[in-house]
Every structure is written in C-alpha cells, then in structure tokens.
Amino acid sequence: MRKLGIAALGAAAALTLAGCSAGGGEESADGGKITVWVVGTDTPDTAREYLKDTFESENEGWTLTVEEKTWADVSDTYAAALQSNDSPDVVEVGNTQTASFADQGLFLPLTDFPADDYLPGLVESATYDGELYAAPYYAGGRIVFYSEQILGATPVPTTLDEYVATGKALKTDTRSGIWAPGRDWYNALPYVWAHDGFIAEQEGDEWKAGFSSEGGIAGLTQLQDVYVNASNAAKDGDETDPQVAFCAGEDVFLSAPAWVQWSITAPADAEAPGCADTFGSDLRAFPLPGLEAGETAPIFAGGSNVAVATKSANPEQARAALDIMAGEGYQTLLAEGGLTPGFTAAAASLPDTEIAKAQADALANSKVTPTTPKWAEVEAAQIIQEALVKIAQGGDVAAIAADLDAQIEEILNS
Amino acid sequence: MSATLTEPDAAPRTPTTRPPRAPRESAGERPRRKSLPWAPWLLLAPSILLLCVMVLYPTIVMFVNSFTDLQIKNKMLGTSPNFVGFDNYIEVFTESDFPAVLARSLGLMVVLTVLIVVIGMLVALLMTKLSKGWRLAVSIGLMLAWAMPPLSATVVFGWIFDTDYGLVNWALNTITGTQDFRGHSWLIDPMSFMMVLVIIVVWQSVPFAAVTFYAGLGQVPDEVLEASALDGASAWQRFRLIIMPYMRGVLTAVLVLETIWNLRIFTQVYALQQQGGLASETNILPTYLFRQGLGEFGVTAAIGVFMVILLMAISYFNVRSSLKDEAEL
C-alpha cells in the first residue's frame, strides 16, 4: 500500500515535467517546409508571392514561408539561428557580411551556379576562398531625393560643395537642408571617398585605415559642416524611416536608397504612411554630385546576396528556392520594384524614370567596404557609427578619425 | 507521513532558541535516526532534474568554454576548440573599456536597487493607509506596469524621449514657451541616457517590491504597533524599531533579488541603445558581453563566469549578514 503511494507520488511528479510538450519535427521525403528570410521591406510583395507560388507549384507537398528580418538582426540573430538545428533554409545577407558568414561555415557553397550572368561586384562579395557561397540578389545605391514644392526656384546643385552650401542656406529651425542622422554611415562614406579618403587598404599583410588620411579628414570635416549646419536630424539617429521627416516637409534634400521612393509615395492612409498627395506627388532625384561639375561622388555599393544555410534540414529544396530567387522571373520583379537586379539581363525591366536613371548613374561610380571576413566585426562593433555621432556633436574631427582608424586596424589586423 | 515531511523543514530553525525548551521535549526526540526520507526527494526529483538540465549544465558548459577559443566554426565543422588557459580572462580584464563598464554596472545597480526599495516601501506603506477602493486602483496600476513586457516599455519610453517628435521635448517647449528643447537628444549624453534608463527600470520594478513589502507589512502585529503608539513612539520610531525588524526577512529577499536583477538587466539597455546614444559609453556587463564579436564564445563565457562569481559574492554577503541578524534577534 505504502509502496503504491510512493509510486503514485513519483508518477505525479513526473507528470509536471511532461507539461513541456515535445516540439514536432516535420521530416518527410516528399513534403515539408522551407523558410526564407529576407531583410527589410525592400523586397516587393509581388516578388514574395511569386517565390511562394512558383516554389509550391514546382515542389508538390512543400510549403514556403517568407519571414522578414531587420538589418539589425543580421549579425547576432543570424549567427544564432544559422548554427541551430532550427535554422532557416535560405537567407538574405548584406554583401559586406557574406564573406564572414561563409568563413564561419554557416553557408553551403553553391555549385553549378551561372555566376557569369550576375553583377560582378556582388559575385565578388559572395566569393570566399575561391568558392561561391551566395547568389547575388540585388544592388542598390543612394540618391538624393527632393520635392520642387520645397526646393522652389533654387537650382539643383552640380558639385558636392554646392550641394552642401545649398543645404546650409535652405536650413531653418524646422527644416533640414540635408537630412543627415549621425548613425547613417553609408551616407557618410561618399564625403570621404569624394575627397580621396578611404576606409582601409591592404599594404602587404597589414590593413591601413584611411579616415585620418588627408582626404579622409577633408571629407569628414565637410560632413561635420553638414551635420551641424545643414541638418536637424537626430545626431544619434539612424537612417530608418526617412520618409517621416520628408513627408512632414522637413527635408530639402534626402539622400536615401532608391527604394525609399515607394515609402514616400505610399498613400497617406497606408499602414506605413507616405505622402502621395503632398510632397511625394512631385518627387524627384539626382545622383550625389562629385567635387567637379558633371561628375558624381563615389557612393557605397549596397546590396544583398542570398545563401543556403549549412544547417538547412532540406538543402536540396532550399537550393531550389534560391534558384527561383536568382532566376529571371523573380529578378525581373525586383527590377520593376526599382532595385538593381543581381541577374544582369533583368536590368532591362528597370522602370524608365528619373529616379531609376539617377540610381544607375550613381551606381556607375560606386565602391564597397574592404573585402575581408573581419569586416563584419567592424560593422557589428558599430565603431564607425559612433565616431560619426561624435563628429555630428561637433567633436574634433582629426582626433576622432585617428581613434577610429586605430580601432579599425586593431580588428582587421587581429 | 506528516512527520517525515516536516523533518527537513525543522532543521534551519535557529538553534539558539532550543536549549531552554529542551527538558520538556527530550523524552521522545533522541532516538530518531531514520533512513533517508525518500518521499520528499521523489517529489523534488523532477525539479532537481529540471534545474540540472536548465541551470547546472549550461553553467558548467560556460565555465569550460571560458577556457577555450570556441568559435561558430568549431560547431559547424565539428572540430574541437583549443584550450587557451586564462587567455580569455586576461583579454577581458586588460580591455581598456572593461573597468568603465564594470563601474557603470555596479553604479547603476546600486542606484536602481536603492530607488526601487525606497519607492517600493513608500508605495507599500501608502497602500496600508488607503481605503479599499483606492488600494485596488493602486494595485491594478502596479500590476499593469509590472505586466508590460520590458521591450515594449522601452520602445514606448524611447518614443516619449524621442529627439525629433518626442512627447517630453514637446511638453518642455510648451511649458517653457520656448523652442529650447527642439531636437534635444536625451540619449546622446551618457548621464542623460542613464537617467532615462533608470526611469524605465524603476518604473517597472517598483511594483514587485511594493507588492512584496505590502504582503510583509501584513505580518506586523497590530497590537505591538498600537502598544508602542500608546507609549509615545513616533511614526518614524515605529517604522524603524518595529516594522523594520519584522520585515527584515522580506527586505533581504527583495534586496538580493533586486541586486541580481539590476546587475543583469539587458533588454532595456540594449533596446534604448538601438534608439540613440553611444553604445560604447553606455554599455553595462550584459550588453558588453553581447556586443563582443560574432561568435566569440570564449571571451563572452569568461565575462559570464565573472558575472556569476560577482553575483554570488554579493548575494552571499547579503544573505549571510541577514541570517546573522536574525540569529541575534
């Protein structure tokens, strides 16, 4: 009797453990789930639907889910997810980060991929140790948006100095001449590059950072002028949701990725409200001008690649999904959305608008961050952003730049 | 059955109170040397197992990792990491910004804990004086603040303190009738960042302290308070000499818990850093750990081990001193 009681106690106690039910695994040869992670809102909905429909009709019994991540997730959340047994199957990753993920063994190498049909810059960013680890997804460049309702009769600037001068002249207490939040480092790079500064260059085995080079200081000094005298944006703000200030009529010039045009021209009552009827109605854009009239400033060649996760439970189907995303049909939809497609031939479908042309002109003169797997560490440490915030606060440019270079060199040469 | 269950319970009772009563009890007490009471252990077994899996095992793994150069690569390729001795610890402790991070964490912990305990106690005392309806209203208010997920709370506070469109800047401009606060960034200055952080954390942590203290206040016998009042003890004397001694156990528990919680807050700091400010000048230990390089498991584990030791030392000191006090009563 007593023993029975004890056995019952044990059973009751064990039951409390069973409260945590076992998660179900969905393994089967002819059916299952593929998860695709895209980053940010720039992948158009038409493309997402096309991917899901095409994949599910070509693979009987399989379903595909597209999940949207933010750029802030790409470092830590990605690293954690990609090494877990619950890894997503296909992921979009920034072009500057691809090498580091490949270096950690998180991506499967892509065999038999027709790399020759794709943008060489993106293919290079996805190649590590002689092997291709990701398919080029899209490229994007930053262009300068403006509305004639605000710019008025002022002529569009033709040189970088004129651009800054116009921005300073048109700034009021409630209006930014140039909207420049301090942590928007992609928009800071053109100033450095235009004055012949550089991020980091390889000298033999050593990396040498160049923000404190003569050109780097000149560029950052001009940038400080913009932050302090032309911009009302938060000195420690980042570049998310640039359409908010623009649509409030608080920006004369807004330098932002080309796809921001869709955020600006969204209806005022959309879930993410734009201003189709006011400042978005006559939206125009030009490539950031360079030091001399008639040339453009070198901009950062932004872009993404897509890769198959090493830990994907179904690499074969994951590759099939990746092939759809890199294929002509899907890439054409990206082009129609204003993104420069990774698949070169799809570029013919780019809309024939002033904004698309401005982006193409801007991208023609573009540069990338240093190609080393260590670069992702520089981005994750956010040291460039922090240096820019200090510059935006009016700090000593030379000292901040020297400090920044030391930090970059320490990471790249470690 | 009931005898075996209460046996382990009786052990921690203070031994000093026993001797005087010993003569009366000694008759039946002595020969009780029973075999291990296993019904309680059987009941405890699942929890112990769960604790081993969820707490003990990760702690051991963290401890082991802190002496290796484990990377994501090792996990993905199935290779084993190298043993590097104390290299990770040396790397962390010699890092130029580590002392500042440590000092910031400890300072923040002290400020938060003091504010939470003091405000919590005041709210609890207030609740004893309120009428039933008001008490209910205050309790519901406390619960709402407590139930809000820290991330949501931080995002909302981030908006309130937003540089361009924040409520605080608008309100200050309206009150002062100037435009002085247009575009004022509350997060860019580390001290101001900490002030916003303290507001968020205290706002959300006071409910726990207040509710616990309120429960504790219920244990203070009314007749003692009444008697002392008749003897002419002032409110402050009653609080210091009667309520506080009765509340010592509750106070210790809250202090230890708040100390631990406040030294390892992460969500609020991290989310606030996303909204502005300089991460390198506002990091505390947990965010500093998180912001180490991608997959630097060795170094992060070393910071983790250091935090565990730090927390255990602080809690040990607290618990011990309070047990001593109790024994002296």
Side-chain angles (χ1 to χ4, degrees):
Chain A
M1 206 42 210
R2 200 181 143 81
K3 273 199 183 136
L4 195 67
I6 286 167
L9 268 182
L15 271 180
T16 59
L17 261 187
C20 348
S21 71
E26 72 293 314
E27 291 315 306
S28 92
D30 45 15
K33 270 162 62 176
I34 290 290
T35 308
V36 177
W37 280 7
V38 297
V39 191
T41 51
D42 42 0
T43 298
D45 285 339
T46 50
R48 296 178 196 213
E49 277 158 33
Y50 173 86
L51 170 64
K52 188 172 163 60
D53 295 345
T54 316
F55 179 82
E56 286 174 5
S57 66
E58 283 175 7
N59 298 274
E60 199 70 37
W62 288 76
T63 54
L64 183 145
T65 339
V66 178
E67 288 176 14
E68 187 176 304
K69 300 287 153 183
T70 67
W71 284 113
D73 289 329
V74 176
S75 177
D76 303 296
T77 313
Y78 264 48
L82 287 172
Q83 55 174 310
S84 76
N85 290 328
D86 199 21
S87 159
D89 301 285
V90 179
V91 292
E92 176 187 349
V93 61
N95 54 347
T96 58
Q97 299 157 319
T98 314
S100 132
F101 281 95
D103 176 54
Q104 298 283 359
L106 294 168
F107 292 158
L108 284 181
L110 293 183
T111 47
D112 303 326
F113 189 85
D116 291 345
D117 298 342
Y118 290 80
L119 284 181
L122 287 180
V123 172
E124 190 193 324
S125 74
T127 307
Y128 176 66
D129 250 1
E131 265 190 289
L132 187 71
Y133 280 89
Y137 191 49
Y138 66 75
R142 280 159 180 76
I143 49 177
V144 182
F145 290 104
Y146 68 97
S147 160
E148 281 179 340
Q149 295 164 54
I150 291 184
L151 187 64
T154 316
V156 170
T158 54
T159 66
L160 190 58
D161 292 337
E162 216 178 296
Y163 171 69
V164 174
T166 312
K168 283 163 68 178
L170 294 180
K171 183 203 175 224
T172 67
D173 276 353
T174 56
R175 194 174 66 192
S176 298
I178 299 167
W179 191 75
R183 285 203 283 184
D184 184 3
W185 67 285
Y186 294 122
N187 264 320
L189 294 176
Y191 294 88
V192 174
W193 281 331
H195 289 92
D196 277 336
F198 57 99
I199 300 176
E201 284 173 354
Q202 209 161 10
E203 288 177 4
D205 287 344
E206 290 276 290
W207 284 92
K208 173 116 187 50
F211 283 102
S212 58
S213 64
E214 200 184 319
I217 301 277
L220 291 175
T221 308
Q222 187 171 38
L223 181 61
Q224 187 170 49
D225 196 20
V226 171
Y227 285 142
V228 176
N229 299 318
S231 172
N232 284 330
K235 305 282 183 254
D236 56 347
D238 61 19
E239 66 273 23
T240 50
D241 295 327
Q243 77 277 10
V244 175
F246 191 89
C247 280
E250 292 172 359
D251 296 343
V252 181
F253 295 131
L254 165 65
S255 177
W259 53 263
V260 166
Q261 61 178 303
W262 309 121
S263 311
I264 294 174
T265 56
D269 56 357
E271 199 179 322
C275 46
D277 299 327
T278 57
F279 302 109
S281 63
D282 59 348
L283 187 67
R284 300 191 63 176
F286 58 89
L288 186 70
L291 290 184
E292 306 283 332
E295 67 181 32
T296 59
I299 58 156
F300 169 69
S304 293
N305 298 315
V306 279
V308 173
T310 310
K311 286 269 193 176
S312 164
N314 305 292
E316 214 172 292
Q317 280 71 26
R319 176 63 195 269
L322 179 137
D323 283 340
I324 296 172
M325 294 173 83
E328 187 171 358
Y330 186 93
Q331 290 281 320
T332 303
L333 292 171
L334 290 186
E336 283 167 4
L339 300 163
T340 306
F343 184 67
T344 330
S349 303
L350 277 168
D352 184 21
T353 61
E354 185 187 48
I355 290 171
K357 200 183 158 304
Q359 179 178 226
D361 288 348
L363 273 177
N365 182 12
S366 61
K367 295 188 176 194
V368 289
T369 52
T371 44
T372 152
K374 294 268 181 198
W375 180 254
E377 234 175 277
V378 175
E379 285 192 21
Q382 305 204 345
I383 48 182
I384 300 181
Q385 287 96 316
E386 301 219 330
L388 292 175
V389 170
K390 288 176 190 161
I391 289 175
Q393 282 177 280
D396 175 7
V397 172
I400 296 169
D403 226 31
L404 173 62
D405 278 355
Q407 285 177 295
I408 293 178
E409 283 169 12
E410 189 190 326
I411 294 178
L412 294 187
N413 294 324
S414 69
Chain B
M1 197 61 187
S2 65
T4 48
L5 275 176
T6 47
E7 172 68 4
D9 229 3
R13 204 168 284 164
T14 45
T16 43
T17 56
R18 275 221 172 149
R21 281 196 264 159
R24 257 176 277 166
E25 285 177 11
S26 60
E29 197 91 319
R30 268 298 121 100
R32 204 190 265 195
R33 251 269 165 246
K34 267 193 147 187
S35 61
L36 193 73
W38 53 303
W41 285 110
L42 206 60
L43 278 170
L44 283 173
S47 334
I48 291 174
L49 192 72
L50 208 61
L51 277 176
C52 285
V53 173
M54 308 293 280
V55 179
L56 193 64
Y57 174 71
T59 312
I60 292 172
V61 170
M62 177 173 82
F63 192 75
V64 172
N65 283 350
S66 71
F67 293 100
T68 68
D69 64 351
L70 183 67
Q71 283 188 330
I72 297 178
K73 218 186 276 186
N74 296 113
K75 210 174 154 185
M76 298 303 292
L77 306 177
T79 53
S80 51
N82 302 312
F83 179 77
V84 295
F86 281 93
D87 280 7
N88 291 326
Y89 290 89
I90 295 168
E91 191 184 330
V92 170
F93 292 131
T94 54
E95 202 73 57
S96 56
D97 50 350
F98 185 77
V101 171
L102 181 61
R104 204 176 290 129
S105 306
L106 292 173
L108 189 68
M109 178 201 76
V110 171
V111 171
L112 286 173
T113 308
V114 168
L115 282 175
I116 290 167
V117 168
V118 169
I119 298 176
M121 182 63 86
L122 290 174
V123 173
L125 289 169
L126 173 78
M127 282 170 73
T128 61
K129 306 285 179 224
L130 290 174
S131 69
K132 213 171 181 185
W134 278 110
R135 194 156 61 219
L136 189 69
V138 172
S139 312
I140 291 174
L142 288 175
M143 289 304 146
L144 285 178
W146 194 7
M148 171 102 90
L151 183 60
S152 324
T154 312
V155 171
V156 172
F157 270 97
W159 286 337
I160 293 176
F161 284 95
D162 187 74
T163 306
D164 294 319
Y165 307 108
L167 185 69
V168 172
N169 283 352
W170 173 83
L172 286 173
N173 275 338
T174 311
I175 292 168
T176 57
T178 62
Q179 290 297 313
D180 292 354
F181 289 93
R182 175 178 287 282
H184 177 77
S185 171
W186 290 93
L187 303 178
I188 207 163
D189 173 58
M191 280 317 281
S192 164
F193 180 100
M194 286 298 157
M195 185 199 75
V196 175
L197 181 68
V198 165
I199 293 175
I200 300 172
V201 178
V202 169
W203 173 77
Q204 203 156 33
S205 304
V206 158
F208 171 76
V211 169
T212 315
F213 286 146
Y214 180 67
L217 286 172
Q219 294 175 350
V220 183
D222 283 340
E223 50 271 35
V224 182
L225 284 175
E226 209 180 315
S228 62
L230 289 175
D231 286 342
S234 68
W236 170 242
Q237 282 171 324
R238 285 199 305 264
F239 177 74
R240 195 166 58 89
L241 299 170
I242 297 171
I243 296 181
M244 283 311 281
Y246 272 109
M247 293 275 286
R248 186 159 275 143
V250 176
L251 190 67
T252 308
V254 172
L255 266 179
V256 171
L257 286 175
E258 290 295 346
T259 308
I260 294 174
W261 289 341
N262 290 332
L263 196 58
R264 51 168 222 199
I265 43 168
F266 173 83
T267 314
Q268 291 94 330
V269 186
Y270 185 75
L272 209 56
Q273 285 176 340
Q274 301 289 94
Q275 306 196 23
L278 295 165
S280 62
E281 287 176 19
T282 52
N283 270 336
I284 56 167
L285 280 173
T287 54
Y288 182 73
L289 185 159
F290 188 78
R291 289 185 189 281
Q292 296 296 314
L294 189 66
E296 293 254 0
F297 297 122
V299 175
T300 48
I303 302 175
V305 169
F306 173 72
M307 276 180 71
V308 169
I309 294 172
L310 190 69
L311 284 169
M312 276 168 60
I314 295 172
S315 324
Y316 175 78
F317 179 76
N318 266 339
V319 172
R320 215 180 92 108
S321 69
S322 78
L323 283 181
K324 239 193 219 159
D325 288 348
E326 227 163 66
E328 280 163 12
L329 265 182

